[in-house]
Amino acid sequence: MAAVPELASEMMAYHSDENDLFFEVDGPKHMKCNWQDLYLGSVDEGIQLQISQLHLNKSLQQVVSLVVAVEKLRILPGAQAPRGEDLHTCLSLIFEEEPIFCDSWDDDGYEYDAAVPVLNCRLRDVQQKSLVLSDPCELKALHLNGPNLRQQVVFSMSFVLGEGNDSKTPVALGIKGKNLYLTCVMKGDKPTLQLESVDPKSYPKKRMEPRFVFNKIEVKDKVEFESAQFPNWYISTSQAEHLPVFLGNNSGQDITDFTMEFVS
């Protein structure tokens, strides 16, 4: 068994500055600790490290001392490297384990330091119908051309927390320049798409309420938006012109595929 010399007696021989480094003034090449005095156990027993009772101080000085000791033992002839359980025991004497408490993911008051990533984009269904704001709280899909293209809604797509995977990316869809977000709510016995007015000081946020969240699903050059609140219900448009955008269950008659154009 190899014992690290007690800090109180051995460290006095070392050069010490305000950081209590354990090397001579002329550099780290010459250690003054007499490592020949260390007893090395047999190969079968491995090497065990011990730290004196001064470990209760748990200072950076002890951490450095342990690292230096392990490095010297590693290069000594015939020494076996310390086993994992030996180092675990030594480190447990230096570091204190403390639990980490996190707020629940469902806690709306949870604050995140990172900014919410946002991309601006326009959406058209596969029939090339554009989405426009026809009144303060309704989207419609219709064909536009020429100067009318400026009526297209620009979405602020926020990448938020949710139960995503490799094929589904949780996002929230706001209307750029408006305090409006697409949300999914139950009206009667049917999931319904609506535009909801929000406080611009609070939205967007990383943890959006479930009604705001859509799973963005990309298939080749097309994209679908599935409600996270109501699985298998998608943002949809009708085959006919100038009808509201709605939440459909992909019955085959509704259009759920869109193309996405990113804008600055």
Side-chain angles (χ1 to χ4, degrees), residues 55-221:
H55 71 264
L56 294 178
N57 293 330
K58 296 181 174 63
S59 64
L60 178 61
Q61 176 179 343
Q62 292 172 331
V63 178
V64 176
S65 177
L66 176 62
V67 173
V68 172
V70 171
E71 182 64 18
K72 291 298 293 186
L73 288 173
R74 186 180 66 81
I75 64 176
L76 283 176
Q80 180 183 353
R83 296 175 299 185
E85 57 268 25
D86 298 330
L87 292 178
H88 181 272
T89 301
C90 292
L91 293 175
S92 67
L93 297 175
I94 296 176
F95 299 104
E96 289 184 350
E97 183 176 354
E98 295 184 0
I100 298 176
F101 299 98
C102 295
D103 292 300
S104 168
W105 287 117
D106 295 326
D107 182 7
D108 292 338
Y110 194 88
E111 295 183 359
Y112 299 87
D113 293 332
V116 180
V118 177
L119 289 176
N120 296 324
C121 63
R122 295 188 182 97
L123 296 175
R124 290 194 183 114
D125 69 16
V126 291
Q127 288 188 350
Q128 295 302 303
K129 293 197 296 294
S130 300
L131 306 187
V132 300
L133 197 61
S134 63
D135 64 44
C137 289
E138 185 177 64
L139 284 176
K140 288 187 176 180
L142 64 156
H143 288 97
L144 297 176
N145 53 53
N148 293 330
L149 285 172
R150 290 176 294 182
Q151 299 177 29
Q152 293 182 89
V153 164
V154 176
F155 291 95
S156 293
M157 185 169 64
S158 306
F159 293 84
V160 299
L161 294 175
E163 297 181 2
N165 53 42
D166 291 341
S167 62
K168 296 183 179 182
T169 303
V171 299
L173 294 170
I175 307 296
K176 184 179 180 182
K178 309 282 185 180
N179 301 324
L180 296 172
Y181 276 82
L182 284 173
T183 60
C184 302
V185 296
M186 185 69 74
K187 288 189 176 180
D189 58 351
K190 183 179 180 181
T192 303
L193 186 71
Q194 66 177 19
L195 282 172
E196 182 175 329
S197 180
V198 300
D199 181 358
K201 296 180 180 179
S202 302
Y203 293 87
K205 55 186 179 180
K206 194 66 175 175
R207 169 61 66 178
M208 298 285 278
E209 292 81 3
R211 68 182 184 276
F212 288 93
V213 181
F214 295 89
N215 294 317
K216 181 169 70 72
I217 305 169
E218 295 188 33
V219 180
K220 296 183 179 178
D221 59 341

Side-chain angles (χ1 to χ4, degrees), residues 1 9 18 29 50 59 76 94 97 151 159 227 262:
M1 179 176 65
S9 58
E18 62 181 4
K29 295 182 179 180
Q50 290 183 341
S59 64
L76 283 176
I94 296 176
E97 183 176 354
Q151 299 177 29
F159 293 84
S227 169
F262 293 108

